[in-house]
Amino acid sequence: MAPRDEVPAQMSFPWYASAMLAFESLEVIRLRLEKLLVGGDAADHEARLMVSEKVDAMLEAGASLMTGATPASIVDRYREHVAANTKRLSAI
């Protein structure tokens, strides 16, 4: 493995953005659990949506990596999805 100063900046792992993704994801998990605890059709829809979103995000990330995306751009895209879910689930 090359010394740190020889690794191109675009190849380094986005530690801060990844940590933020983890923290932001916790809010989505909390909001989804609240919805699932209430039950009913909305909870069933949310459970199905949650699974389909995970599969879609995995396929999107894989396709992006195969076309040369950086780890930072993948994490940023996941953060966009998490922000959209937070906004949708927080709406009253």
Side-chain angles (χ1 to χ4, degrees):
M1 186 166 161
R4 175 75 176 138
D5 59 344
E6 293 180 25
V7 177
Q10 68 269 19
M11 297 301 291
S12 63
F13 190 76
W15 294 106
Y16 177 76
S18 297
M20 291 305 298
L21 173 63
F23 287 119
E24 293 160 354
S25 297
L26 291 174
E27 179 65 8
V28 173
I29 292 167
R30 183 189 69 79
L31 292 166
R32 280 189 161 150
L33 284 174
E34 285 179 2
K35 189 168 231 178
L36 294 173
L37 285 172
V38 171
D41 290 337
D44 183 56
H45 179 274
E46 190 62 36
R48 292 176 191 277
L49 184 61
M50 180 173 55
V51 172
S52 67
E53 284 177 349
K54 301 274 187 257
V55 173
D56 291 346
M58 177 197 61
L59 293 173
E60 180 182 346
S64 295
L65 285 171
M66 288 191 299
T67 59
T70 64
S73 67
I74 301 296
V75 171
D76 288 344
R77 183 67 178 138
Y78 268 98
R79 288 183 73 195
E80 289 174 14
H81 288 297
V82 168
N85 278 327
T86 301
K87 184 177 179 180
R88 177 181 59 80
L89 290 164
S90 296
I92 296 177

